[in-house]
Amino acid sequence: MSLDDLPAKLKPIGHYIKTAAEHDKRDPVVAYYCRFYAVKKGIEIDSSSPECKKYLLGLMDFLEKQKQAAEADSPIKNEVIGQAHVENYALKVFLYADNEDRAGRFNKNVVKSFYTAGMLFDVLSVFDEVSEDIEKNKKYAKWKAAYIHKCLRNGETPIAGPLPEGDEEGDDIPQPSTSGGATAGPSPYNAPPPSHPSPPSGGGYPPGAGSYAPPGNQYPQGGAQSWPQTPPQAAHQPPPQPPQAASVPQDTWQPPSNPSGIALKTEDYQKAMKFCKYASSALQYEDSSTAIDNLTKALKLLTTGKPS
């Protein structure tokens, strides 16, 4: 299903369909979840009119065939791996744009990277409630894309990095999160993972980028109130539980104490799990430096109780 077939009522999901098409060869997992999110938003917009219903059903059929053809341990079938994959990719796009912005290198590629990162942060809502850090970075990325685009269009030099939290009119300016889940690396637009074909020539910019312009402030809003289907469920079976000692009743079991004597909270374990998921996603791309960095963060958190 292409943008040419998109009904006028479903125009708000057009940018997600376009992003999916740009990633079909570069990163099929990202492309899959962009379309999945587009279906979700499209159903909320209009699923009853004949033209919208036909388009959405065709898109859902395409996704189902792609899911059936995927391997059992593919991020398309495994929700946990899929979430880590998309989140890690979105953070890398965001960090690339943020680094370029802070260095004062303003161009259309930075605008598109910020805008794409914002849309990918939207896509993460198909998995679960997104974290506060993701929400902050999403708002900041979308605002930065519009801000830099406006400055370039008007012949003005943008201010590098985050701006003060309030301007002269008293409006709140989004700020990026001060904590990150992924390590900055090359832009996925300029250095795709070795497992995917290289993008077309032209400075690494995705097809159609030369005429790209963010649609002002008309960004699709993330999140959803209702959705008749849940995201693809994990295909793996839960790991077997360790056997209980015969002399110890199950209701008296206590988790083993931390070797370092640190009292960890539930959220600490959840953060450590996320770092491990980021590492797992990086290993799929043979990105050893990012995997080591995130595993080191998890180890430090578990042994010191303090995030890196």
Side-chain angles (χ1 to χ4, degrees):
M1 306 298 291
S2 66
L3 282 174
D4 296 336
D5 305 320
L6 186 69
K9 289 184 178 180
L10 297 181
K11 185 178 179 180
I13 69 173
H15 291 287
Y16 301 95
I17 299 296
K18 181 179 179 181
T19 300
E22 292 173 348
H23 285 81
D24 273 332
K25 293 184 178 179
R26 183 180 304 134
D27 194 316
V29 174
V30 171
Y32 174 87
Y33 284 110
C34 282
R35 288 191 175 94
F36 190 92
Y37 178 82
V39 171
K40 169 185 172 183
K41 297 302 294 182
I43 289 178
E44 293 176 5
I45 295 170
D46 183 357
S47 61
S48 58
S49 65
E51 63 274 14
C52 292
K53 185 176 182 180
K54 179 181 178 181
Y55 184 86
L56 293 173
L57 287 176
L59 198 55
M60 292 171 67
D61 183 61
F62 177 83
L63 291 174
E64 184 60 28
K65 290 179 180 178
Q66 189 176 3
K67 181 181 177 182
Q68 290 178 356
E71 299 291 336
D73 58 350
S74 166
I76 291 177
K77 286 188 176 180
N78 189 315
E79 179 185 339
V80 175
I81 300 177
Q83 180 178 8
H85 182 108
V86 177
E87 186 169 338
N88 192 49
Y89 186 95
L91 285 170
K92 283 202 171 190
V93 176
F94 174 79
L95 289 171
Y96 163 78
D98 191 45
N99 288 342
E100 291 293 290
D101 171 50
R102 292 172 189 262
R105 293 188 286 267
F106 307 111
N107 51 56
K108 290 181 179 180
N109 199 27
V110 173
V111 173
K112 187 171 180 68
S113 293
F114 267 129
Y115 184 62
T116 300
M119 289 194 298
L120 293 177
F121 289 144
D122 280 338
V123 171
L124 287 170
S125 67
V126 303
F127 298 103
D128 201 351
E129 183 177 348
V130 297
S131 67
E132 182 179 352
D133 288 338
I134 294 297
E135 282 290 343
K136 291 182 66 175
N137 286 337
K138 178 177 72 174
K139 293 178 181 178
Y140 180 77
K142 291 183 178 183
W143 176 83
K144 258 295 183 177
Y147 168 73
I148 296 176
H149 173 73
K150 179 180 178 181
C151 289
L152 295 178
R153 183 186 60 195
N154 295 337
E156 303 170 353
T157 301
I159 297 176
L163 274 65
E165 295 192 24
D167 60 15
E168 65 275 6
E169 297 180 356
D171 296 329
D172 290 332
I173 295 179
Q175 299 295 308
S177 171
T178 56
S179 62
T183 303
S187 167
Y189 293 131
N190 295 316
S195 58
H196 299 299
S198 299
S201 58
Y205 204 58
S211 60
Y212 168 77
N217 292 324
Q218 301 302 315
Y219 294 111
Q221 298 299 314
Q225 299 301 321
S226 61
W227 174 236
Q229 299 184 12
T230 57
Q233 296 300 313
H236 70 286
Q237 296 296 322
Q241 297 298 319
Q244 297 288 336
S247 60
V248 181
Q250 187 172 358
D251 58 359
T252 63
W253 180 86
Q254 295 293 330
S257 59
N258 188 294
S260 303
I262 303 297
L264 297 175
K265 301 178 182 178
T266 301
E267 51 265 33
D268 293 327
Y269 288 105
Q270 292 174 341
K271 289 180 180 178
M273 288 174 61
K274 278 201 170 185
F275 286 133
C276 290
K277 287 194 292 184
Y278 297 143
S280 175
S281 180
L283 288 173
Q284 289 187 327
Y285 289 128
E286 300 178 6
D287 185 354
S288 59
S289 61
T290 298
I292 292 172
D293 179 75
N294 283 288
L295 288 174
T296 302
K297 289 179 180 179
L299 183 60
K300 181 178 179 181
L301 178 60
L302 292 173
T303 54
T304 67
K306 298 179 181 179
S308 57

